Amino acid sequence: MALVSIFPTAEAAAAAVAERVLAKVSAEPDAVLGLATGQTPRKVYARMVEACGKGEVSFSSATTFNLDEYCGLPAAHPDSYAAYMQRELFHRTDFSPANINLIDGSAADEKSEASRYAALLRKQPVDIQLLGLGVNGHIGFNEPGSALASTVRVVELSEETLHANLPTLLVLDKVPERAITMGISDILRAREIIVLATGSAKADAVRRCLEEEQTADCPGSYLSGHPNVQWFVDQAAASKLRNGPRA
Ligand code: F6R
């Protein structure tokens, strides 16, 4: 059974996620963090930056693994997820560059880049995995149709994702059509999973993940098979749950 916490605002949900991550790193400074990009976790990262700046926490012994990366974009490209992570978190905190694991979207051989990343992940299981949720129920870039047993691989992005991610681009005028992503089975190997979903656009996906049977049509529904997953949602994202939003 997933634990679901519903907050009055997106800000409050993000603040609670940030406190969970900060508590984890304070208790286990060498924790392995699985990180997501996108609009949703930005306030989580802002709070982590603040806490580090005030000396409340140090990330210098922590290790990170990002979930995914667009194919074809070098790390320095402003629209790469590597650049997003540097902007939002890494450049503004004391994470050690040696402990930051990112997928190289510009690798000439994408399959061997996926294998390289899978091997790294096998060596260092994730302690706490932060996830956002796609409007179509994707987690990482595991689009509808992804298998439960999927591992790190090259994927084609769905039309819904290409559309949803368009407004997030800084330089490109078209979302890259392919990406490398951790698979569902990689995500489920994390010891603890935190899902942050906010806004009414996510309400359908949240309901499907929490109230429907596990199905490849909604990859986030596979999370219900994990023993330690907590959902942090705001009232808008919770608005289609059977019992409605509860503060
Ligand atoms: C990002 C990722 C995606 C996003 C999801 C939600 O690394 O893996 O699954 O978490 O697309 O994106 P936002 O937060 O922009 O709505």
Side-chain angles (χ1 to χ4, degrees), residues 36-41 67-68 81 132-134 138-141 165 202:
T37 56
Q39 296 307 303
T40 320
L67 277 168
D68 41 24
Y81 283 170
L133 183 67
H138 75 207
I139 48 174
F141 275 141
N165 287 8
K202 303 292 172 69

Side-chain angles (χ1 to χ4, degrees), residues 125-153:
V126 168
D127 290 309
I128 186 164
Q129 175 68 56
L130 176 58
L131 294 178
L133 183 67
V135 287
N136 61 358
H138 75 207
I139 48 174
F141 275 141
N142 293 281
E143 299 285 27
S146 295
L148 180 57
S150 56
T151 57
V152 185
R153 68 201 187 288

